Amino acid sequence: MADLDLLLEELVTANRILAHEGVVDGFGHVTVRHPQRPDRFVMSRARAPECIEVEDLMEFTLDGTPVDPKGRKPYLERFIHGAIYEARPEIMSVVHNHSPSTIPFGITAKKLRPLMHMCATIGHELPVWDINDKFGDTDLLVTNMAMGRDLAKTLGNRPTALMRGHGCVVAADTLRKAVWISIYLELNANLQMKAMAMGDVKFLSRGEVDAVMARTSGFTVDRGWEYWCRRAGRSAGTLEIN
Amino acid sequence: MADLDLLLEELVTANRILAHEGVVDGFGHVTVRHPQRPDRFVMSRARAPECIEVEDLMEFTLDGTPVDPKGRKPYLERFIHGAIYEARPEIMSVVHNHSPSTIPFGITAKKLRPLMHMCATIGHELPVWDINDKFGDTDLLVTNMAMGRDLAKTLGNRPTALMRGHGCVVAADTLRKAVWISIYLELNANLQMKAMAMGDVKFLSRGEVDAVMARTSGFTVDRGWEYWCRRAGRSAGTLEIN
Amino acid sequence: MADLDLLLEELVTANRILAHEGVVDGFGHVTVRHPQRPDRFVMSRARAPECIEVEDLMEFTLDGTPVDPKGRKPYLERFIHGAIYEARPEIMSVVHNHSPSTIPFGITAKKLRPLMHMCATIGHELPVWDINDKFGDTDLLVTNMAMGRDLAKTLGNRPTALMRGHGCVVAADTLRKAVWISIYLELNANLQMKAMAMGDVKFLSRGEVDAVMARTSGFTVDRGWEYWCRRAGRSAGTLEIN
Amino acid sequence: MADLDLLLEELVTANRILAHEGVVDGFGHVTVRHPQRPDRFVMSRARAPECIEVEDLMEFTLDGTPVDPKGRKPYLERFIHGAIYEARPEIMSVVHNHSPSTIPFGITAKKLRPLMHMCATIGHELPVWDINDKFGDTDLLVTNMAMGRDLAKTLGNRPTALMRGHGCVVAADTLRKAVWISIYLELNANLQMKAMAMGDVKFLSRGEVDAVMARTSGFTVDRGWEYWCRRAGRSAGTLEIN
């Protein structure tokens, strides 16, 4: 298979993994920047991640215009992805999801911060983007580039951001790492709620977060990837651990 | 298959989905108004939703009288459904369930309100119906039309209401949307408990709730429906997303 | 099959259901009084409930003596069951388990009480038996009749009691109802913890609990039984709902 | 099969069980001391526990040097295991994991202590090792013998210790008991968080903990082992309960 074909298979796998691990339900999406055409990204047609096949994958320009839709309906929120790829050339994969434990951190004053080493790749602290601040009462969906760019601005150069009353975004330099961060973001949020109920929490130090982020290479990410593929019933493809 | 046959298959599917997603256990029921005879509704005989087959489905008049029981035993609480169909001509599907996270909101002073966009279809705030207020100490079951009508009165023109020490009701204009609301009601209740433990909660604004309710069309609902069917091992039937 | 053979099959099924529903893990046991010999009860050899086969079932006299062990090792805690059958002739089935949500109620001052109709069969309020009160520091196991009788005394004529730092006991007039109460006891405890975190809880009234207990007949219990059998991959046998 | 071969199969099984029971995800490891060569231990190459096969198992000297790597990449944190085997000749199996409920106890002031008899094998109280105390800001991984020995010193002669912002270690005299303690440590931590939210907690007394630790023999451990093997789809091997 050509490299692009392998990447598309892997994008299907990423969708299935996120569904299997409870990061997405019928909603949420993961995309990749096109490896040969950095001005495009690849995203499924509007469909539940658990149901996606290679035939569902479509190309979009960064402003969210489908290149060859063939009658397939795109996700309304493709602008989340386009705007992040537009703002950050180093980003090769974006996830948008509503993973359950992240929601309370978008609607209360508590800051979501990494508390264990596996989760340090979520970054030092998650900013919260509130669509209402600039766009007033909406259905909360990011349905145009103005909204997408406003969200991307809040994200800044971080790996993650929360969206009030909605969910979160994750941006990474590889697809597998975007999946990794999404899964461990849910875990960190879940554990932080429990720890906060017990008293003051000792979070990772800035130096520790930086050290983990520098260390989390393909070798480490691939160990998680093989595991999640096994659980989702998908082939893991090429792995650095072998 | 005739339209009615398709709807009956879909009603079986709805039962299986609600069981698979943990909204019902061995108890709880989902019904549809008869598409050709608005003075009737279709409901299974008394059986766990996970076990229901097409042969279990029975027709009832709105006062809860079985049309052709053929020896099948009806649910004791069919009056919940009949009374809601009687009061609200636009309602085509009703769910009654005991989904676990909704229970605490029926027995404490905390109000259940939507906090994320996926859950805005539960409505602005859930009223709580207490059978004891009018009927004194009972086994809490809604076993006649007087009780059903009293509950329907509390529900009013809302999509959802809680029943103290018992569960909730969901009313919608389609079967698939009734399933949708039931699943996201459980999620909202679960997340609200967690968020409240963290401090003051920023709920969706009234304008946001209205905007989501206006937007949640067949296209959106069908994406969830395909996903839940996949998980329950059932055919999804015709979908607007295709 | 003879009636006893059917009952033994059902006892295996009850073990599998309790494991499947998370009421027991590798530990815990469910027994029946012998239908023809009220001075005996039937219990598996010492084995995880999920693994039990008919060949593992043994007869015991009420003082815990195996009638025909054939080299099989009995559970150390068979005296829990014997002592309850000895004290209460109407009881035909006993469950002892460590279902997780019940544990916190045995080690804190909070009383476990029914808060929803499905759970009213747990009784008005669960007493807590502390083995340390009479027997000092032990490994907490009920390993002789003196301990079993002391526990049975705390249970009194109730359907359920908690055991501090250990678990609970359930006593019922049928095997299926003992399974029912065990499953809904876990649910009630889980929901009560959540509700208490939200503020004052409105529990079922005494009259409501009595009404539900009077109503929970074979018809109702069988609906749950068919569901749990389906999930555990076991035949449901004869059902009143058919 | 020779004894060593049986042990290696059982080590694979232990990995699968810990994954199936949620004690490890793609990360964490379980090892055994070599039965004929007490100066060596056996550990998988760097791979998710759910994916491990016998071919992945490698021998290490206690300082973490692979004996015959054949190109296989070892876990970075093998020094956790080596240092504990070095310090404690009676220990035959070590688990390192990030089981979710243990994490909050490593980052708050609350002490993790046994509250039910099944969990008494975790010991009287878990010490917390903070890598930052001696080694400053790191990626929190135990990547050399100095770190491993410092952790082993905190563990002392206990069965368990917590690692701040990271996870825990479990040390036992048999592989099956190390699995047992790991699973019940997660349960105890989970239940303790819930119980603490309800008020003052009555933990097991010192005498009770000692009594349970003295009683938890192969017979008891094997009952759990057979259950966990059944769930993980693995052969249980020889059992004392038969």
Side-chain angles (χ1 to χ4, degrees):
Chain A
M1 272 197 281
D3 279 2
L4 181 61
D5 288 342
L6 286 170
L7 183 62
L8 298 184
E9 278 294 333
E10 200 141 304
L11 183 54
V12 171
T13 299
N15 273 281
R16 305 290 183 85
I17 286 173
L18 292 175
H20 192 87
E21 301 300 327
V23 170
V24 298
D25 57 359
F27 296 82
H29 7 85
V30 48
T31 60
V32 289
R33 191 192 291 271
H34 194 293
Q36 281 97 43
R37 303 240 0 208
D39 58 335
R40 293 185 180 177
F41 65 98
V42 184
M43 185 182 212
S44 171
R45 70 177 174 103
R47 199 176 194 193
E50 177 64 27
C51 302
I52 287 171
E53 306 288 348
V54 165
E55 293 72 33
D56 296 317
L57 301 178
M58 303 169 65
E59 283 186 30
F60 295 87
T61 52
L62 299 193
D63 64 358
T65 307
V67 174
D68 181 17
K70 298 179 185 153
R72 294 170 294 180
K73 295 182 191 173
Y75 289 116
L76 293 175
E77 295 199 295
R78 58 197 181 275
F79 308 99
I80 295 173
H81 301 258
I84 294 173
Y85 290 122
E86 180 187 78
R88 296 177 60 183
E90 84 284 11
I91 293 301
M92 297 302 286
S93 181
V94 173
V95 176
H96 165 60
N97 68 67
H98 317 143
S99 97
S101 300
T102 64
I103 302 297
F105 288 91
I107 58 178
T108 60
K110 292 289 188 296
K111 295 296 180 190
L112 181 44
R113 295 174 52 194
L115 50 68
M116 74 177 290
H117 69 318
M118 300 301 297
C119 305
T121 49
I122 66 173
H124 293 286
E125 183 179 298
L126 278 76
V128 179
W129 178 71
D130 189 339
I131 193 171
N132 208 307
D133 289 344
K134 194 156 185 175
F135 303 95
D137 280 354
T138 65
D139 61 8
L140 286 96
L141 297 185
V142 178
T143 53
N144 59 51
M145 282 304 282
M147 290 172 170
R149 284 171 183 143
D150 194 55
L151 168 58
K153 195 174 153 192
T154 297
L155 176 65
N157 62 358
R158 297 180 191 83
T160 56
L162 296 170
M163 302 161 74
R164 192 269 309 165
H166 185 157
C168 62
V169 287
V170 171
D173 58 354
T174 70
L175 173 61
R176 292 180 184 183
K177 196 186 277 185
V179 168
W180 167 290
I181 297 172
S182 300
I183 289 172
Y184 284 114
L185 174 57
E186 167 64 19
L187 178 64
N188 197 92
N190 184 279
L191 295 179
Q192 187 174 337
M193 288 191 282
K194 290 174 177 164
M196 289 188 309
M198 291 168 60
D200 288 338
V201 177
K202 182 167 189 175
F203 292 95
L204 297 186
S205 72
R206 289 196 70 83
E208 287 172 339
V209 173
D210 290 335
V212 175
M213 289 178 81
R215 185 255 307 160
T216 308
S217 64
F219 175 75
T220 300
V221 171
D222 279 7
R223 200 193 314 168
W225 180 259
E226 186 187 29
Y227 171 64
W228 294 315
C229 287
R230 177 75 59 106
R231 285 162 59 91
R234 299 281 300 179
S235 164
T238 307
L239 294 171
E240 280 192 35
I241 65 171
N242 290 322
Chain B
M1 272 198 281
D3 279 3
L4 182 59
D5 288 341
L6 287 169
L7 183 61
L8 299 184
E9 278 296 332
E10 200 141 304
L11 183 54
V12 171
T13 299
N15 273 281
R16 304 291 183 84
I17 287 173
L18 292 175
H20 192 86
E21 302 300 327
V23 170
V24 297
D25 58 0
F27 296 82
H29 6 85
V30 48
T31 61
V32 289
R33 191 192 291 270
H34 194 293
Q36 281 96 42
R37 303 244 355 211
D39 58 335
R40 293 185 181 177
F41 66 98
V42 184
M43 184 181 213
S44 171
R45 69 177 176 103
R47 199 176 193 192
E50 177 64 27
C51 302
I52 288 171
E53 306 288 349
V54 165
E55 293 72 33
D56 297 317
L57 300 178
M58 304 169 64
E59 282 185 30
F60 294 87
T61 53
L62 299 193
D63 64 357
T65 307
V67 175
D68 182 17
K70 297 178 186 154
R72 296 170 293 180
K73 294 183 192 173
Y75 289 117
L76 292 175
E77 295 198 295
R78 57 197 181 274
F79 307 99
I80 295 173
H81 300 257
I84 295 173
Y85 290 121
E86 180 187 78
R88 297 178 57 184
E90 85 285 10
I91 294 301
M92 296 303 285
S93 181
V94 172
V95 176
H96 165 60
N97 69 66
H98 317 142
S99 97
S101 300
T102 63
I103 302 296
F105 289 90
I107 59 178
T108 60
K110 292 289 188 294
K111 294 297 178 190
L112 181 44
R113 296 173 52 194
L115 49 70
M116 75 178 289
H117 69 318
M118 299 302 297
C119 305
T121 49
I122 67 174
H124 293 286
E125 182 178 298
L126 278 76
V128 179
W129 178 72
D130 189 339
I131 194 172
N132 208 306
D133 289 345
K134 194 156 186 174
F135 302 96
D137 280 353
T138 65
D139 61 9
L140 286 96
L141 298 185
V142 179
T143 53
N144 60 50
M145 282 304 283
M147 291 172 168
R149 284 172 183 143
D150 194 55
L151 167 58
K153 195 174 153 192
T154 297
L155 176 64
N157 63 357
R158 298 179 191 83
T160 56
L162 296 170
M163 302 161 75
R164 193 269 306 166
H166 185 156
C168 62
V169 287
V170 171
D173 58 354
T174 70
L175 173 61
R176 292 179 184 184
K177 196 186 278 186
V179 168
W180 167 290
I181 297 172
S182 300
I183 290 171
Y184 284 114
L185 174 57
E186 167 64 19
L187 178 65
N188 197 91
N190 184 279
L191 295 179
Q192 187 174 337
M193 288 190 283
K194 290 173 176 164
M196 289 188 309
M198 291 168 60
D200 288 337
V201 177
K202 182 166 190 176
F203 292 95
L204 297 185
S205 72
R206 288 196 71 84
E208 288 172 338
V209 173
D210 289 335
V212 175
M213 290 177 80
R215 185 255 308 160
T216 308
S217 64
F219 175 76
T220 300
V221 171
D222 279 7
R223 200 192 316 167
W225 180 258
E226 187 187 29
Y227 170 64
W228 294 316
C229 286
R230 177 75 58 106
R231 285 162 59 90
R234 298 281 300 179
S235 164
T238 307
L239 295 171
E240 280 193 35
I241 65 171
N242 290 323
Chain C
M1 273 198 280
D3 279 2
L4 182 60
D5 289 341
L6 287 170
L7 183 62
L8 298 185
E9 278 295 333
E10 200 142 303
L11 183 55
V12 171
T13 298
N15 273 281
R16 304 291 183 84
I17 287 173
L18 292 175
H20 192 87
E21 301 300 327
V23 171
V24 297
D25 58 359
F27 295 82
H29 6 86
V30 49
T31 61
V32 289
R33 190 191 290 272
H34 194 293
Q36 281 97 42
R37 303 238 2 205
D39 58 336
R40 293 185 180 176
F41 65 98
V42 183
M43 185 181 211
S44 171
R45 70 177 175 103
R47 200 176 192 190
E50 178 63 29
C51 302
I52 288 170
E53 306 287 349
V54 164
E55 293 72 33
D56 296 317
L57 301 177
M58 304 169 65
E59 282 185 31
F60 295 87
T61 53
L62 299 192
D63 64 357
T65 307
V67 175
D68 181 16
K70 299 178 185 153
R72 296 170 293 180
K73 295 182 191 173
Y75 288 117
L76 293 174
E77 296 199 295
R78 59 197 180 274
F79 308 98
I80 294 172
H81 301 257
I84 294 173
Y85 290 121
E86 181 187 79
R88 296 178 58 182
E90 84 284 11
I91 293 302
M92 297 302 286
S93 179
V94 172
V95 175
H96 165 60
N97 69 66
H98 318 142
S99 98
S101 300
T102 63
I103 302 297
F105 289 91
I107 58 178
T108 59
K110 292 289 188 295
K111 295 297 179 190
L112 181 45
R113 295 174 52 194
L115 49 69
M116 74 177 289
H117 69 318
M118 300 302 297
C119 305
T121 49
I122 66 173
H124 294 285
E125 182 179 299
L126 278 76
V128 179
W129 179 72
D130 190 339
I131 194 172
N132 207 307
D133 289 345
K134 194 155 185 176
F135 302 96
D137 280 353
T138 65
D139 61 9
L140 286 97
L141 298 184
V142 179
T143 53
N144 60 50
M145 282 304 281
M147 290 172 170
R149 284 172 182 143
D150 194 55
L151 167 59
K153 195 174 153 193
T154 296
L155 176 65
N157 63 357
R158 298 179 191 83
T160 56
L162 296 170
M163 301 160 76
R164 193 270 307 165
H166 185 157
C168 63
V169 287
V170 172
D173 58 354
T174 70
L175 173 61
R176 292 179 184 184
K177 196 186 279 187
V179 168
W180 168 290
I181 297 172
S182 300
I183 290 171
Y184 284 115
L185 174 56
E186 167 65 19
L187 178 65
N188 196 92
N190 185 279
L191 295 179
Q192 187 175 336
M193 287 191 283
K194 289 173 178 163
M196 288 188 309
M198 291 168 59
D200 287 338
V201 178
K202 182 167 190 174
F203 292 95
L204 297 186
S205 72
R206 290 196 69 83
E208 288 172 338
V209 173
D210 289 337
V212 175
M213 289 178 81
R215 185 257 306 162
T216 308
S217 64
F219 174 76
T220 300
V221 170
D222 279 7
R223 200 192 315 168
W225 180 258
E226 187 188 28
Y227 171 64
W228 294 315
C229 287
R230 177 76 58 107
R231 285 162 59 90
R234 298 281 300 178
S235 164
T238 306
L239 295 170
E240 280 192 34
I241 65 171
N242 290 322
Chain D
M1 273 199 280
D3 279 3
L4 181 59
D5 289 341
L6 286 170
L7 183 62
L8 298 185
E9 278 296 332
E10 200 141 305
L11 182 55
V12 171
T13 298
N15 273 282
R16 305 290 183 85
I17 286 172
L18 292 176
H20 192 87
E21 301 299 328
V23 171
V24 297
D25 57 0
F27 296 82
H29 7 85
V30 49
T31 61
V32 289
R33 191 192 290 272
H34 194 292
Q36 282 96 42
R37 303 240 0 208
D39 57 335
R40 293 185 181 177
F41 65 97
V42 184
M43 185 181 212
S44 171
R45 70 177 174 103
R47 198 175 194 191
E50 178 63 27
C51 302
I52 288 171
E53 305 289 347
V54 165
E55 294 72 33
D56 296 317
L57 301 178
M58 303 168 65
E59 283 186 30
F60 294 88
T61 53
L62 298 193
D63 63 358
T65 307
V67 174
D68 181 16
K70 299 178 185 152
R72 295 170 294 181
K73 296 182 190 172
Y75 289 117
L76 293 174
E77 295 199 296
R78 57 197 180 275
F79 308 99
I80 295 173
H81 301 257
I84 295 174
Y85 290 122
E86 180 188 78
R88 295 177 59 183
E90 83 284 11
I91 293 303
M92 297 302 287
S93 180
V94 172
V95 176
H96 165 60
N97 69 66
H98 318 143
S99 97
S101 300
T102 64
I103 302 297
F105 289 91
I107 59 178
T108 59
K110 292 289 188 296
K111 295 296 179 190
L112 181 44
R113 295 173 54 194
L115 51 67
M116 75 177 289
H117 69 318
M118 300 301 298
C119 305
T121 49
I122 66 173
H124 293 286
E125 183 179 298
L126 278 76
V128 179
W129 179 72
D130 189 338
I131 193 171
N132 207 306
D133 289 345
K134 195 157 185 173
F135 302 95
D137 279 353
T138 65
D139 61 9
L140 285 98
L141 298 184
V142 179
T143 53
N144 60 50
M145 282 304 282
M147 291 172 168
R149 284 172 183 141
D150 195 55
L151 168 58
K153 195 174 152 192
T154 297
L155 176 65
N157 63 357
R158 297 180 191 83
T160 56
L162 296 171
M163 302 160 75
R164 192 269 308 165
H166 185 157
C168 63
V169 287
V170 171
D173 57 354
T174 69
L175 173 61
R176 292 180 184 183
K177 196 186 279 187
V179 168
W180 168 290
I181 296 173
S182 300
I183 290 172
Y184 283 114
L185 173 56
E186 167 65 18
L187 178 65
N188 196 93
N190 184 279
L191 295 179
Q192 187 174 336
M193 287 191 283
K194 290 174 177 163
M196 288 188 309
M198 291 168 60
D200 287 338
V201 177
K202 182 167 189 175
F203 292 95
L204 298 186
S205 72
R206 289 196 71 84
E208 287 172 338
V209 173
D210 290 336
V212 175
M213 289 177 83
R215 185 257 307 161
T216 308
S217 64
F219 175 75
T220 300
V221 171
D222 279 7
R223 201 193 313 168
W225 180 258
E226 186 187 29
Y227 171 64
W228 294 314
C229 287
R230 177 76 59 106
R231 286 162 58 90
R234 298 281 300 179
S235 164
T238 306
L239 295 171
E240 279 193 35
I241 65 172
N242 290 323

